[in-house]
Amino acid sequence: MMPAVPTDDFDCQSCGACCSYSADWPRFSMESEEELARIPEEFVSADLGGMRCENDRCAALSGVLGQHVGCGIYAIRPIVCRTCMPGDDECLTARQALSAHVLL
């Protein structure tokens, strides 16, 4: 388990690491049928098990990693996206995985 880092050190809207480091990460888990139905089809993977990714980047992510990014479905994003918090283990893992490619 990685140590928690103060959240003031992270600006999610200039990062995007958690949305672009693994096509296997944005999976649906405990969403209700109603919640899943609200996610536009163009953002859902072919197997219906999670968000569609292009390479490892979620299709709902817009912008440039490390500069300015945003989620096209922020208000209705999956639970896995809601539970990832600045500085938590998932955040730090994603940032580390992308650090060689993008200055975060």
Side-chain angles (χ1 to χ4, degrees):
M1 184 175 209
M2 293 184 201
V5 177
T7 58
D8 292 345
D9 293 344
F10 298 94
D11 176 9
C12 296
Q13 291 182 323
S14 68
C15 181
C18 61
C19 303
S20 57
Y21 86 101
S22 172
D24 295 327
W25 189 73
R27 306 307 296 168
F28 301 144
S29 58
M30 300 181 301
E31 291 81 6
S32 68
E33 291 297 321
E34 294 81 23
E35 290 170 318
L36 293 174
R38 287 193 294 248
I39 298 174
E41 285 183 38
E42 66 264 24
F43 296 129
V44 178
S45 65
D47 70 1
L48 306 177
M51 296 296 291
R52 183 173 62 83
C53 292
E54 296 167 8
N55 297 315
D56 288 331
R57 182 179 170 135
C58 178
L61 184 67
S62 62
V64 178
L65 295 177
Q67 292 181 20
H68 189 273
V69 294
C71 176
I73 62 164
Y74 187 80
I76 57 172
R77 67 197 185 283
I79 291 170
V80 68
C81 303
R82 293 174 185 271
T83 60
C84 184
M85 293 288 134
D88 71 5
D89 286 343
E90 290 81 13
C91 168
L92 296 176
T93 297
R95 290 173 64 88
Q96 182 178 15
L98 285 179
S99 65
H101 304 289
V102 178
L103 178 61
L104 298 177

